[in-house]
């Protein structure tokens, strides 16, 4: 693996400049992520206020971390737009560290959602406990703390302090770039494998339950869930059927999130892992920024998915939209009458 600063000093190192399309892409994805996630936060909070039984507050944490990912992209883009400008080591380190913390925390929130949903499938009684909300809040805080500590570690251990550097990963980790890439690659792939594994396990469990309930039809897809009660005379069976349908809808939502997540983040994670294993040479700043843009694009897609897949949130959006339309129509009628 090529270690950049061990051979070339910062003063003579030829760095990439930012193509216009990369700058436009970063600004577009970052702005879209912020503009989509902030309303999603408000929708989650409004849904919780209206419906006290709403138990998807982890979506609020996911919106916050996704917004942080978009905000932290701007300082990195700034260093890319002006590659010849030297900055202090700690300023450069802080730019990449903040982005890493927000990015991995976003990943950890998706992991927490998948693991928690899997545990609820295995032990449904966990949902009915009185301390459900406090437990979920504690899990989110613990996840944020652990992920932040794990993310900060490589920036402290592997970074090579210098007085002033051209800010990019190859200069920030000039001696230990391979170790840094291997650390990040293993960490990201561990979370990604855990997310995919939980999702596949949930789908398998629900398919087994549908088979047990006599509802499984090999000709149907995973997204189509029969609503016909096989034992209509039993109230308990009706409730079980309804719960199974709700669980299946939730798993479908998670499956969509995980599928798009896998498509978006795999190039970035694979690049780090291959570079860390010395199977890939130096990655230019432009390809790396393209991978980062793809990874952050997932943060812009997430709120669109869960706002229109979670029934409580979808109903609140629909009711609010109807109220706004009615208000505008009434004002328009008053204006017409006054004329």
């Amino acid at each position: 693996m090529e270690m950049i600063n061990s051979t070339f000093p910062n003063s003579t190192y030829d760095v990439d400049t930012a193509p216009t399309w990369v700058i436009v892409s970063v600004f577009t994805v970052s702005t879209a992520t912020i503009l989509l996630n902030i309303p999603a936060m408000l929708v989650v909070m409004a849904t919780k206020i209206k419906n006290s039984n709403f138990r998807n507050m982890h979506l609020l944490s996911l919106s916050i971390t996704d917004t942080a990912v978009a905000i932290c992209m701007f300082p990195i883009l700034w260093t890319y737009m002006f590659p010849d400008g030297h900055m202090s080591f700690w300023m450069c380190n802080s730019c990449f560290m903040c982005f890493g913390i927000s990015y991995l925390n976003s990943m950890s929130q998706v992991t927490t959602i998948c693991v928690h949903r899997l545990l609820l499938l295995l032990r449904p009684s966990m949902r009915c406990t009185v301390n459900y909300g406090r437990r979920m809040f504690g899990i989110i805080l613990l996840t944020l703390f652990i992920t932040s500590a794990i993310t900060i570690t490589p920036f402290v251990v592997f970074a090579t302090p210098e007085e002033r550097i051209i800010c990019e990963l190859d200069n920030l980790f000039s001696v230990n770039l391979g170790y840094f890439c291997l650390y990040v690659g293993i960490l990201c792939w561990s979370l990604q494998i855990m997310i995919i594994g939980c999702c596949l396990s949930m789908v398998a469990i629900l398919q087994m339950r549908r088979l047990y309930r006599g509802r499984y039809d090999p000709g149907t897809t995973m997204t189509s869930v029969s609503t016909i009660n096989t034992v209509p005379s039993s109230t308990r069976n009706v409730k079980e059927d309804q719960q199974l349908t709700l669980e299946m809808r939730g798993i479908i939502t998670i499956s969509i999130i995980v599928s798009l997540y896998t498509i978006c983040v795999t190039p970035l994670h694979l690049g780090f892992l291959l570079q860390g294993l010395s199977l890939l040479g130096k990655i230019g700043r432009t390809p790396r920024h393209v991978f980062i843009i793809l990874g952050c694009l997932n943060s812009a897609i997430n709120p669109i998915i869960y706002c229109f897949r979670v029934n409580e949130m979808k109903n609140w959006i629909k009711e609010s939209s109807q109220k706004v339309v009615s208000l505008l129509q009434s004002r328009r009628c008053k204006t017409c009458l006054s004329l």
Side-chain angles (χ1 to χ4, degrees):
M1 178 178 296
E2 182 182 4
M3 298 302 177
I4 304 303
N5 280 0
S6 60
T7 307
F8 301 100
N10 285 325
S11 58
T12 60
Y13 180 65
D14 184 20
V15 295
D16 300 334
T17 55
T20 304
W21 65 270
V22 171
I23 298 175
V24 173
S25 298
V26 172
F27 271 106
T28 302
V29 172
S30 300
T31 304
T33 302
I34 294 171
L35 294 178
L36 289 171
N37 276 281
I38 290 179
M41 294 182 206
L42 299 176
V43 171
V44 173
M45 291 186 288
T47 305
K48 179 61 178 177
I49 293 173
K50 182 178 179 180
N51 184 3
S52 59
N53 294 323
F54 181 65
R55 293 189 169 184
N56 284 317
M57 290 301 290
H58 48 266
L59 298 179
L60 177 61
S61 177
L62 181 59
S63 297
I64 294 173
T65 53
D66 282 342
T67 303
V69 167
I71 294 174
C72 291
M73 283 184 68
F74 288 110
I76 297 178
L77 177 65
W78 181 264
T79 65
Y80 189 35
M81 291 172 62
F82 305 99
D84 295 329
H86 290 64
M87 66 170 55
S88 68
F89 165 81
W90 292 111
M91 184 179 294
C92 179
N93 201 9
S94 298
C95 290
F96 282 101
M97 185 189 299
C98 290
F99 176 79
I101 291 173
S102 59
Y103 179 78
L104 286 176
N105 271 321
S106 178
M107 285 186 61
S108 69
Q109 294 309 304
V110 178
T111 308
T112 301
I113 292 172
C114 292
V115 172
H116 190 257
R117 178 70 66 173
L118 178 60
L119 291 176
L120 289 179
L121 279 179
L122 297 174
R123 297 182 58 186
S125 59
M126 293 177 60
R127 186 186 295 272
C128 302
T129 57
V130 293
N131 62 342
Y132 177 90
R134 286 180 296 175
R135 184 183 70 235
M136 196 64 211
F137 183 71
I139 291 174
I140 291 173
L141 286 183
L142 182 62
T143 303
L144 292 174
F145 176 78
I146 294 175
T147 306
S148 299
I150 293 174
T151 307
I152 292 172
T153 300
F155 287 94
V156 176
V157 175
F158 298 129
T160 307
E162 297 183 19
E163 185 175 350
R164 295 185 70 81
I165 64 173
I166 295 174
C167 189
E168 66 170 321
L169 287 178
D170 302 272
N171 291 336
L172 192 61
F173 300 94
S174 57
V175 178
N176 299 311
L177 179 62
Y179 296 116
F180 172 78
C181 291
L182 184 61
Y183 180 97
V184 174
I186 292 175
L187 178 60
C188 290
W189 274 103
S190 298
L191 291 174
Q192 187 169 343
I193 291 172
M194 187 180 299
I195 290 170
I196 296 173
C198 288
C199 187
L200 294 177
S201 299
M202 287 184 285
V203 173
I205 291 172
L206 285 178
Q207 290 288 51
M208 290 176 62
R209 290 186 180 180
R210 292 175 65 189
L211 179 62
Y212 176 77
R213 294 284 297 149
R215 296 158 56 93
Y216 179 73
D217 180 4
T220 60
T221 61
M222 183 185 68
T223 56
S224 60
V225 180
S226 173
T227 57
I228 300 175
N229 296 317
T230 56
V231 189
S233 59
S234 173
T235 304
R236 180 179 179 181
N237 288 341
V238 172
K239 291 182 178 180
E240 289 178 354
D241 289 345
Q242 293 174 346
Q243 183 63 33
L244 185 61
T245 301
L246 290 174
E247 288 178 350
M248 194 63 190
R249 181 177 178 83
I251 301 307
I252 292 171
T253 302
I254 294 176
S255 298
I256 295 172
I257 292 176
V258 170
S259 298
L260 293 175
Y261 159 84
T262 303
I263 294 172
C264 291
V265 304
T266 296
L268 179 62
H269 298 174
L270 187 61
F272 274 119
L273 187 61
L274 292 179
Q275 195 171 5
L277 294 173
S278 300
L279 299 176
L280 188 66
K282 179 185 181 297
I283 299 178
R285 299 181 86 188
T286 297
R288 185 173 285 153
H289 271 73
V290 172
F291 295 161
I292 291 175
I293 292 170
L294 282 174
C296 295
L297 182 62
N298 179 71
S299 297
I301 296 173
N302 282 339
I304 299 176
I305 298 172
Y306 57 71
C307 277
F308 291 96
R309 288 290 305 176
V310 178
N311 282 332
E312 293 88 347
M313 297 176 65
K314 184 172 67 174
N315 292 336
W316 187 89
I317 293 174
K318 184 178 179 180
E319 292 175 1
S320 300
S321 301
Q322 291 175 346
K323 290 179 180 179
V324 171
V325 171
S326 299
L327 180 61
L328 293 176
Q329 288 178 345
S330 63
R331 289 187 175 181
R332 182 178 179 183
C333 292
K334 290 180 180 179
T335 304
C336 293
L337 291 174
S338 63
L339 293 176

